[in-house]
Amino acid sequence: MLNSLRSIVQEVNAARDLQSALDIIVRRVKTVMKTEVCSAYLLDSNQRYMLMATDGLNADSVGQVSLGLDEGLVGHVAAREETINLKQATAHPKYQYFSETGEERLNSFLGTPIIHHREVLGVLVIQQYEERRFDEGDEAFLVTMSAQLAGVIAHARATGALDSMRQRGQDAKFVGVAGAPGVAIGRAVVMSQAADLRSVPYKEITDIEAEISFFQSGLNAAQEVIGDLGEQLKSRLNTQEQALFEAYLAMLNDVTLIAEVTDRIGEGVTAAYAWSEVILEHERTFSGMNDPYLRERAADIRDLGQRVLAQLQSTSENNYEFPDKAILVGEELTASMLGEIPYEKLIGMVSVQGSGNSHVAILARAMGIPTVMGAVDFPFTQVSDRELIVDGYRGVLYADPGPDLRKEYEEICVEEAKLVKGLEALKDLPCETTDKYRVSLWVNTGLMADVVRSLERGAEGVGLYRTEIPFLLRDRFPSEEEQRAIYREQLEAFAPHTVTMRTLDIGGDKALSYFPIKEENPFLGWRGIRVTLDHPEIFLAQVRAMLKASEGLNNLRIMLPMIASVGELEAAKKLIFRAYNELIEEGFEIELPPIGVMIEVPAAVYQAKELAARSDFLSVGSNDLTQYLLAVDRNNPQVADLYQAFHPAVLRALEQVARAGHSQGSSVSICGELAGDPGAAILLLAMGYDVLSMNATNLPKVKSAIRGVSLAEADALLQEVMAQPDAESVGRCMDKAFEKGGFARLFGPKITH
Ligand code: PEP
Ligand code: MG
């Protein structure tokens, strides 16, 4: 059964469109389950379950027969969201007969809902003429089948939506997760990871002859590389491995394979795209095979495919063209991709992977670039050069928008620009409540571009300088001197204001290409301080660079990420003292900077007092703290709804940390994204946070909100909020207060679509 299941899913995955996927499903399920009818019904835009594919019923009834939401047995399965297994379907009160389908003698019925992300997409049904109660094994198989296929169907439906909606003159809408607020209307530039077969963008070409000869030269080059590699390794390879190289070379000479690719190129697409399509099809065929030996060959095909693709991409014009209003689209956008784009042309971003608190989203917020993350069903390889609207407020995007939608979003853009302009006036005004209670608004930085934006917006210091960003943008560790120069630039730009430099925080979703960390569970693994304490040479070089950079400026604070115990803090402090003493001995005239601890692990919340007693300041990293408190991966769009920044557990932890820090006379900051939310900022102020550190983009909005309330009002709101049992009711409290205070616009525009 497992093999059948796997091979059906593989075949469905390889289907070109939704209709062929459904046709495969009904045909294969009917055979495997040895029944007489298998049909698939999908919910259509009229809220009816339409018969979309059948093997066994009258084929003409496809697209004709449909049932309402709780109509007939199909509607009943969907409404109950449960499998229904009937020996004699005709006796069931919900049974409905359709003459078009020719099903009069079908007695037994087994129907199971197809559910994706809590949404019923349709119903999968098998039927039989003789009276038979399908057994438990049948039920289990059909349930497993529809659970596995739900994602594939949802994806195929969304992918097909692009073309069918365009044909019907509708805007193709895709839902993701809000990444960075704002709205952008521009042209898609699809950026793929090098040699990634699944993300080669669809591009059309006109000179077919030239593309075919380009493909040939790519193949020849790959052949040479593989041949040379085989030669070089000959003495070290066993016969089986040598045979693999020969098999690769043979495949590259395989006339059918070459013909398949040239045929596709003949349809007017690039060699890279044609090659990736053909290889992926072969890979799927092999992965779907029952024989384990043949199944494993899928990996060889993929490997070979990637090698040739690398050749095609390295020799092709891989330098992207950027229109003036470029929207960067990719399967998984990374910080280093951002470095490749002319900043002035980049107006929006879309990432298929990742979520609102992925680091690329945090960078996007810092740069003020509207971004949608986790658009898992977005057919990103198909949208090169097409017009997109990115709605970073709601995490929604549209491809090929129609004139009405475009107009609405253009108006929002104008309104947004007005709001930002209006807030500029606040730049030099103090951040204080109406009754003169002051709180410091600092910024989070990482890129040099952040510095100018931060100063323009009136930042009073840096609460988090993410030192890993310059590390991410290189292909080796920066030397101590290179680091010193980078840090000096930051410290000088903000002097005399404080700059809080966090020691290297890699691991989790921040992987250095030159220092790979492979783990099953990276967020619970070797991250932040754990890595640098295990590599004192990296830590010491970084701290020495920071200290040297601060000479004569004395505006540095050092902050330690991911601290989970007093022992880690003590060990890190020891290394910092050592670096400091060495530099003093070397003749540097520097002051020992304040050393602080990030509170981003639940253990640190409960030890905040002990940590505060042994350090100079605490700073809450609410991004990680939320993910660890709620056990929700900050990168996973599937659980993005559960990542609730206003969850009472998070708010209580925040309050507890502020109290514990102050009990030891420590200054308490927050540098997670929560600080940049105008509503949260009011609560944090009332909790007593001394410093709120946020992305430069949000700083004026936060200042505007704080300048509009009194401390007493903020306290009252905090009291009310802390009495709420869940994030939803906290949200309602906040909305009410902000509507009343007239600040609702700070949270984004009202969008009607
Ligand atoms: C945090 O976790 O809140 C934080 C500021 O650190 P980062 O987002 O870089 O993990
Ligand atoms: Mg963190």
Side-chain angles (χ1 to χ4, degrees), residues 359 362 464 466 468 502 505 510 527 598 600 620-625 634 671-673:
H359 282 90
I362 291 175
L464 166 63
R466 288 186 165 94
E468 60 277 5
R502 174 169 76 182
D505 185 21
K510 288 178 284 193
R527 266 199 85 182
M598 281 193 81
E600 44 186 355
V620 178
S622 54
N623 308 335
D624 276 313
L625 186 58
R634 62 193 269 187
C671 59
E673 291 296 295

Side-chain angles (χ1 to χ4, degrees), residues 166 184-191 320-330 341 345-350 378 380 382-390 397-401 406:
R166 197 152 23 105
I185 308 172
R187 299 236 153 242
V189 176
V190 180
M191 224 184 227
Y320 298 89
E321 280 165 34
F322 293 102
D324 280 345
K325 293 185 169 184
I327 294 183
L328 178 62
V329 176
I341 304 219
K345 294 191 169 184
L346 181 63
I347 62 155
M349 299 203 289
V350 179
F378 186 49
F380 70 102
Q382 310 295 316
V383 297
S384 262
D385 212 31
R386 285 167 71 167
E387 183 166 70
L388 298 182
I389 293 181
V390 173
L397 69 134
Y398 297 89
D400 307 319
R406 208 170 187 291

Side-chain angles (χ1 to χ4, degrees), residues 266-390:
E267 289 165 18
V269 295
T270 59
Y273 187 77
W275 173 257
S276 66
E277 276 220 311
V278 169
I279 290 294
L280 288 174
E281 274 164 27
H282 285 285
E283 186 206 337
R284 281 185 213 115
T285 313
F286 275 86
S287 341
M289 287 182 174
N290 286 337
D291 180 285
Y293 174 80
L294 289 177
R295 213 165 41 236
E296 277 168 25
R297 301 285 66 77
D300 296 338
I301 294 186
R302 187 171 50 246
D303 184 40
L304 176 80
Q306 283 165 347
R307 284 165 195 271
V308 175
L309 182 61
Q311 288 299 329
L312 294 175
Q313 288 178 327
S314 69
T315 34
S316 74
E317 297 289 290
N318 207 11
N319 40 358
Y320 298 89
E321 280 165 34
F322 293 102
D324 280 345
K325 293 185 169 184
I327 294 183
L328 178 62
V329 176
E331 179 162 31
E332 186 162 18
L333 294 183
T334 60
S336 50
M337 281 181 178
L338 290 188
E340 289 184 39
I341 304 219
Y343 179 59
E344 65 293 349
K345 294 191 169 184
L346 181 63
I347 62 155
M349 299 203 289
V350 179
S351 182
V352 172
Q353 307 273 334
S355 194
N357 279 294
S358 301
H359 282 90
V360 77
I362 291 175
L363 279 183
R365 288 199 281 273
M367 292 161 78
I369 297 174
T371 298
V372 171
M373 301 290 295
V376 287
D377 289 325
F378 186 49
F380 70 102
T381 56
Q382 310 295 316
V383 297
S384 262
D385 212 31
R386 285 167 71 167
E387 183 166 70
L388 298 182
I389 293 181
V390 173

Side-chain angles (χ1 to χ4, degrees), residues 153-301:
I153 292 175
H155 187 72
R157 197 175 63 164
T159 309
L162 193 60
D163 288 315
S164 64
M165 285 182 174
R166 197 152 23 105
Q167 279 156 16
R168 294 202 305 265
Q170 288 178 10
D171 321 296
K173 177 179 179 182
F174 300 91
V175 178
V177 178
V183 162
I185 308 172
R187 299 236 153 242
V189 176
V190 180
M191 224 184 227
S192 53
Q193 310 265 22
D196 178 359
L197 291 160
R198 283 172 212 285
S199 65
V200 180
Y202 172 87
K203 271 207 191 118
E204 292 178 1
I205 43 114
T206 44
D207 191 346
I208 289 171
E209 286 304 308
E211 198 66 17
I212 290 179
S213 74
F214 168 63
F215 168 58
Q216 273 300 349
S217 55
L219 269 190
N220 295 343
Q223 240 159 352
E224 255 173 55
V225 172
I226 292 170
D228 287 353
L229 198 63
E231 276 305 309
Q232 277 169 26
L233 297 175
K234 213 166 193 166
S235 55
R236 283 188 268 149
L237 297 181
N238 62 30
T239 22
Q240 210 184 351
E241 286 159 343
Q242 279 185 31
L244 185 67
F245 275 96
E246 274 151 34
Y248 274 8
L249 291 173
M251 266 199 255
L252 292 180
N253 277 319
D254 182 272
V255 270
T256 13
L257 183 72
I258 297 174
E260 274 179 73
V261 180
T262 43
D263 283 356
R264 296 278 163 96
I265 298 176
E267 289 165 18
V269 295
T270 59
Y273 187 77
W275 173 257
S276 66
E277 276 220 311
V278 169
I279 290 294
L280 288 174
E281 274 164 27
H282 285 285
E283 186 206 337
R284 281 185 213 115
T285 313
F286 275 86
S287 341
M289 287 182 174
N290 286 337
D291 180 285
Y293 174 80
L294 289 177
R295 213 165 41 236
E296 277 168 25
R297 301 285 66 77
D300 296 338
I301 294 186

Side-chain angles (χ1 to χ4, degrees), residues 386-449:
R386 285 167 71 167
E387 183 166 70
L388 298 182
I389 293 181
V390 173
D391 176 347
Y393 288 109
R394 296 183 305 155
V396 170
L397 69 134
Y398 297 89
D400 307 319
D404 290 350
L405 188 71
R406 208 170 187 291
K407 186 154 170 282
E408 183 182 351
Y409 274 99
E410 274 164 356
E411 280 163 12
I412 291 169
C413 289
V414 172
E415 226 184 286
E416 281 297 293
K418 261 197 233 152
L419 178 72
V420 170
K421 195 100 203 97
L423 293 173
E424 273 172 16
L426 298 176
K427 177 181 175 256
D428 296 317
L429 297 177
C431 179
E432 59 188 17
T433 57
T434 51
D435 46 357
K436 306 281 178 234
Y437 177 82
R438 273 204 74 142
V439 61
S440 301
L441 293 196
W442 292 10
V443 278
N444 297 344
T445 60
L447 300 165
M448 219 34 223

Side-chain angles (χ1 to χ4, degrees), residues 432-740:
E432 59 188 17
T433 57
T434 51
D435 46 357
K436 306 281 178 234
Y437 177 82
R438 273 204 74 142
V439 61
S440 301
L441 293 196
W442 292 10
V443 278
N444 297 344
T445 60
L447 300 165
M448 219 34 223
D450 293 337
V451 173
V452 184
R453 303 186 77 240
S454 305
L455 293 170
E456 276 171 7
R457 285 170 167 71
E460 299 165 315
V462 176
L464 166 63
Y465 170 60
R466 288 186 165 94
T467 59
E468 60 277 5
I469 293 177
F471 280 69
L472 285 166
L473 300 179
R474 284 185 162 60
D475 54 11
R476 57 167 177 77
F477 281 113
S479 67
E480 185 176 315
E481 178 49 27
E482 282 170 329
Q483 290 187 56
R484 189 204 59 80
I486 300 169
Y487 303 155
R488 180 79 189 180
E489 232 179 334
Q490 278 280 325
L491 292 164
E492 263 175 356
F494 285 93
H497 294 313
T498 303
V499 175
T500 311
M501 295 202 166
R502 174 169 76 182
T503 61
L504 190 63
D505 185 21
I506 51 171
D509 67 338
K510 288 178 284 193
L512 301 177
S513 57
Y514 49 91
F515 189 66
I517 301 174
K518 284 256 172 297
E519 291 176 314
E520 279 282 303
N521 223 333
F523 278 112
L524 297 183
W526 207 41
R527 266 199 85 182
I529 198 75
R530 301 171 184 179
V531 177
T532 45
L533 284 181
D534 285 352
H535 276 280
E537 78 289 10
I538 297 174
F539 189 76
L540 283 168
Q542 182 173 44
V543 171
R544 281 175 58 94
M546 288 176 181
L547 294 172
K548 281 192 205 166
S550 73
E551 195 177 22
L553 296 173
N554 300 324
N555 58 340
L556 167 70
R557 299 204 299 182
I558 295 183
M559 184 161 78
L560 306 165
M562 280 291 289
I563 293 282
S565 68
V566 168
E568 286 171 337
L569 167 61
E570 297 291 12
K573 273 171 56 182
K574 219 161 147 185
L575 290 172
I576 296 173
F577 295 151
R578 189 174 126 192
Y580 174 75
N581 290 330
E582 277 170 15
L583 290 173
I584 295 291
E585 274 170 32
E586 288 169 32
F588 286 90
E589 289 187 12
I590 42 180
E591 284 178 12
L592 183 66
I595 300 171
V597 173
M598 281 193 81
I599 306 290
E600 44 186 355
V601 175
V605 173
Y606 294 105
Q607 288 218 287
K609 202 165 149 192
E610 288 80 357
L611 293 168
R614 290 163 178 79
S615 61
D616 300 305
F617 64 95
L618 299 182
S619 184
V620 178
S622 54
N623 308 335
D624 276 313
L625 186 58
T626 307
Q627 94 162 333
Y628 293 128
L629 276 175
L630 304 182
V632 177
D633 180 346
R634 62 193 269 187
N635 266 333
N636 184 346
Q638 174 104 359
V639 287
D641 287 354
L642 301 176
Y643 187 98
Q644 295 173 321
F646 288 86
H647 192 291
V650 176
L651 297 176
R652 278 178 211 169
L654 287 166
E655 200 178 38
Q656 196 170 322
V657 172
R659 223 178 298 126
H662 288 151
S663 78
Q664 302 304 302
S666 273
S667 134
V668 185
S669 329
I670 171 163
C671 59
E673 291 296 295
L674 189 65
D677 177 292
I682 301 229
L683 299 179
L684 293 162
L685 164 132
M687 286 180 193
Y689 277 80
D690 306 294
V691 177
L692 310 182
S693 189
M694 64 203 68
N695 62 64
T697 312
N698 279 19
L699 193 142
K701 289 185 184 175
V702 168
K703 195 189 264 190
S704 164
I706 289 178
R707 288 180 56 85
V709 292
S710 67
L711 183 58
E713 282 164 339
D715 273 338
L717 180 61
L718 179 65
Q719 297 313 319
E720 195 187 344
V721 158
M722 293 308 271
Q724 303 304 317
D726 52 36
E728 290 74 18
S729 42
V730 171
R732 282 192 294 275
C733 263
M734 302 292 296
D735 288 349
K736 208 170 71 205
F738 276 80
E739 287 287 345
K740 209 167 115 201

